[in-house]
C-alpha cells in the first residue's frame, strides 16, 4: 500500500522537479494529483519520465480528504489559502514557501540535519521546507557543528536565476541573446541587468539594510541547527541558470583542522566532497545540476580567527534547495509516522 500524493504548483519549476524526483526515487504512490491555478487547469504534465501524463486540476476545487501528503510549490499567496484547508482535511502539507518556516508550531526540516523535529508536525499538520540557500548551508554545517561547535558563520551566496522562477530564467536568456545582437536590455524580473552582471539584492530590503533573503538564512539556520550560532549573510543573484553557490567562513568554539573537516564531510550524509587542490579540483554550479548531493570544495583554514575554516558549497537549488528536500521530508514522514509503502 502506497501514498496518495498531491503536488500543488505542479506546472512551475519546483513543482515539475517534485514530480520528477517522486518518480526517480520510486516514492510509493497509489495515486498522484497535479494541481495548479485555474490558468493551467486541463493541461497535461508528465509524471517524471514514466510516460504517465497527468491532467492538471484546479487546486481551488480540489478536495484533499483521503489524500496523505500534499507537496506545495505554489508560493505564499496560494499556500495561505489552500494549505490550512488541506491540513484540516487530514492531508499533511509539506510547504516550500516561506509562509510557515518561522511558525513555532511548524517544524522546519532538513532530513540530514534535524530529522527528530518532524515529530512536531501534528500541531498544524504542516511541515516547512527551508529556503534553498539555507538548505545546502545547514547540510554542510551540521557535521562540523557536531564535532567542534560553531560560534559564527559568515556566508556570501551566488544564487542562480532559477531561484526567481521561470521568469528569472527567461530574463537571463533574453537579455543574453539581446546583448549579443546589440538590442537594448530592460530589466523586468530583476532590479538591474542580470546578463553578464551580478546583483547584490534578493527579495525586499529591511530596515537594518539587509534583505529578506539574508534574514531568512539567519533565522532559518538558527531554527534548524542551533539558535546560539551567529549568522550573517550577503545574498547575490548571478547569471547562472541553475545551481546556488556559497562561500562560507566558519568560526568554531573548539579546534578543528581542514584535514579533519574534510574527513568528516567525506563521510556525512547528503554531502559529496570534491576538494583537490589543483586546477578544476572543485565543483561549480554547472556540474551540480540534476544531482541530489550538496557539494563541498575548497576546505581550508582561516588564519584570521581562532578555530576558523572556510569552504565552498554548491547545490542544485531546484533539487536539494526545494523539490528534493520536500520529497525527503515526505520519505521521513512515511518512515516515522504514516508507515505506508
Amino acid at each position: 500500500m502506497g501514498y496518495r500524493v498531491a503536488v500543488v504548483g505542479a506546472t512551475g519549476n519546483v513543482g515539475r522537479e517534485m514530480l520528477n524526483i517522486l518518480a526517480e526515487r520510486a516514492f510509493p504512490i497509489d495515486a498522484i494529483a497535479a494541481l495548479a491555478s485555474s490558468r493551467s487547469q486541463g493541461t497535461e504534465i508528465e509524471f517524471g519520465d514514466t510516460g504517465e501524463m497527468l491532467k492538471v486540476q484546479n487546486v481551488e476545487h480540489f478536495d484533499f480528504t483521503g489524500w496523505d501528503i500534499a507537496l506545495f510549490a505554489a508560493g505564499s499567496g496560494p499556500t495561505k489559502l489552500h494549505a490550512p484547508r488541506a491540513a484540516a482535511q487530514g492531508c499533511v502539507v509539506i510547504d516550500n514557501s516561506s509562509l510557515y518556516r518561522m511558525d513555532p508550531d511548524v517544524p522546519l526540516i532538513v532530513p540530514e540535519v534535524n530529522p527528530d523535529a518532524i515529530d512536531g508536525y501534528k500541531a498544524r499538520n504542516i511541515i516547512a521546507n527551508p529556503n534553498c540557500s539555507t538548505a545546502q548551508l545547514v547540510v554542510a554545517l551540521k557535521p562540523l557543528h557536531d564535532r567542534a561547535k560553531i560560534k559564527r558563520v559568515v556566508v556570501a551566496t551566488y544564487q542562480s536565476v532559477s531561484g526567481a522562477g521561470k521568469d528569472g530564467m527567461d530574463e537571463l536568456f533574453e537579455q543574453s541573446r539581446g546583448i549579443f545582437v546589440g538590442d537594448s536590455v530592460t530589466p523586468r524580473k530583476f532590479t538591474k541587468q542580470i546578463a553578464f552582471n551580478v546583483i547584490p539584492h534578493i527579495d525586499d530590503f529591511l530596515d537594518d539594510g539587509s534583505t529578506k533573503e539574508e534574514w531568512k538564512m539567519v533565522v532559518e539556520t538558527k531554527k534548524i541547527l542551533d539558535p546560539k550560532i551567529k549568522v550573517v549573510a550577503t545574498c547575490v543573484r548571478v547569471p547562472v541558470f541553475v545551481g546556488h553557490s556559497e562561500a562560507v567562513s566558519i568560526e568554531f568554539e573548539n579546534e578543528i583542522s581542514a584535514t579533519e573537516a574534510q574527513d568528516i564531510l567525506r563521510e556525512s550524509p547528503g554531502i559529496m566532497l570534491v576538494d583537490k587542490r589543483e586546477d578544476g579540483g572543485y565543483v561549480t554550479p554547472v556540474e551540480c545540476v540534476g544531482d541530489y548531493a550538496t557539494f563541498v570544495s575548497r576546505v581550508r583554514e582561516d588564519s584570521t580567527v581562532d578555530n576558523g575554516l572556510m569552504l565552498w558549497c554548491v547545490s542544485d537549488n531546484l533539487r536539494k534547495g526545494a523539490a528534493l528536500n520536500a520529497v525527503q521530508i515526505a520519505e521521513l514522514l512515511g518512515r516515522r509516522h504514516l508507515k505506508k509503502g
Side-chain angles (χ1 to χ4, degrees):
M1 182 173 62
Y3 298 93
R4 292 169 58 82
V5 179
V7 176
V8 182
T11 57
N13 286 343
V14 174
R16 289 176 184 270
E17 277 300 301
M18 286 175 172
L19 290 170
N20 290 337
I21 292 169
L22 286 167
E24 285 176 16
R25 294 173 73 90
F27 189 82
I29 287 176
D30 278 353
I32 180 79
L35 310 180
S37 69
S38 58
R39 294 190 306 274
S40 300
Q41 184 177 357
T43 60
E44 289 192 337
I45 185 170
E46 188 176 5
F47 179 32
D49 292 325
T50 64
E52 179 183 354
M53 300 304 296
L54 306 175
K55 185 165 285 189
V56 176
Q57 302 177 59
N58 188 343
V59 65
E60 294 178 13
H61 304 146
F62 190 79
D63 185 356
F64 289 93
T65 304
W67 292 78
D68 299 298
I69 299 170
L71 303 176
F72 270 70
S76 295
T79 297
K80 188 174 183 179
L81 290 174
H82 303 297
R85 179 170 64 85
Q89 291 171 350
C91 181
V92 182
V93 170
I94 300 172
D95 177 35
N96 192 61
S97 81
S98 61
L99 185 63
Y100 294 106
R101 289 175 188 160
M102 298 315 297
D103 187 321
D105 292 326
V106 174
L108 180 64
I109 303 294
V110 176
E112 299 95 331
V113 178
N114 62 336
D116 293 346
I118 202 170
D119 296 343
Y121 84 93
K122 292 181 181 178
R124 298 283 297 273
N125 225 27
I126 298 172
I127 303 165
N129 205 35
N131 187 38
C132 48
S133 49
T134 304
Q136 67 187 70
L137 177 65
V138 296
V139 168
L141 294 180
K142 167 64 174 174
L144 301 177
H145 183 55
D146 288 346
R147 162 59 185 82
K149 199 168 185 181
I150 295 171
K151 292 172 58 178
R152 182 172 181 256
V153 176
V154 180
V155 55
T157 71
Y158 306 77
Q159 295 178 228
S160 66
V161 294
S162 58
K166 182 179 181 298
D167 289 345
M169 299 178 76
D170 288 345
E171 185 153 318
L172 174 57
F173 177 79
E174 290 165 6
Q175 286 186 0
S176 300
R177 182 177 59 185
I179 288 170
F180 275 120
V181 299
D183 289 345
S184 61
V185 171
T186 302
R188 295 188 306 275
K189 179 66 177 179
F190 301 113
T191 56
K192 296 199 176 194
Q193 173 185 316
I194 185 59
F196 308 99
N197 197 19
V198 298
I199 304 172
H201 174 198
I202 301 177
D203 214 325
D204 298 330
F205 275 100
L206 305 178
D207 289 342
D208 66 355
S210 63
T211 65
K212 193 173 180 182
E213 183 81 358
E214 292 157 356
W215 173 82
K216 289 176 196 173
M217 289 195 73
V218 172
V219 296
E220 291 174 20
T221 299
K222 288 174 173 286
K223 182 174 179 178
I224 295 168
L225 193 57
D226 188 335
K228 295 180 181 178
I229 295 175
K230 296 179 179 179
V231 184
V232 64
T234 300
C235 294
V236 182
R237 189 72 72 192
V238 298
V240 170
F241 282 105
V242 178
H244 287 356
S245 306
E246 297 172 350
V248 189
S249 177
I250 314 164
E251 183 180 357
F252 297 87
E253 286 193 11
N254 303 309
E255 185 176 353
I256 181 172
S257 69
T259 300
E260 185 178 2
Q262 289 170 322
D263 291 340
I264 291 169
L265 292 166
R266 190 176 289 112
E267 302 300 323
S268 297
I271 293 174
M272 180 69 70
L273 181 74
V274 180
D275 194 12
K276 299 177 182 178
R277 295 177 179 181
E278 60 188 40
D279 291 353
Y282 41 81
V283 172
T284 62
V286 169
E287 297 154 289
C288 81
V289 175
D291 206 296
Y292 290 149
T294 295
F295 292 89
V296 176
S297 307
R298 302 289 322 280
V299 180
R300 61 206 188 277
E301 289 162 23
D302 180 356
S303 62
T304 66
V305 296
D306 292 335
N307 307 325
L309 290 178
M310 301 182 73
L311 57 83
W312 174 252
C313 176
V314 181
S315 188
D316 182 330
N317 56 293
L318 297 179
R319 291 207 153 206
K320 185 53 189 173
L324 172 62
N325 199 72
V327 173
Q328 288 177 309
I329 292 171
E331 293 169 344
L332 177 64
L333 178 69
R335 290 194 302 271
R336 291 181 75 121
H337 294 283
L338 302 186
K339 300 186 184 299
K340 291 185 179 182

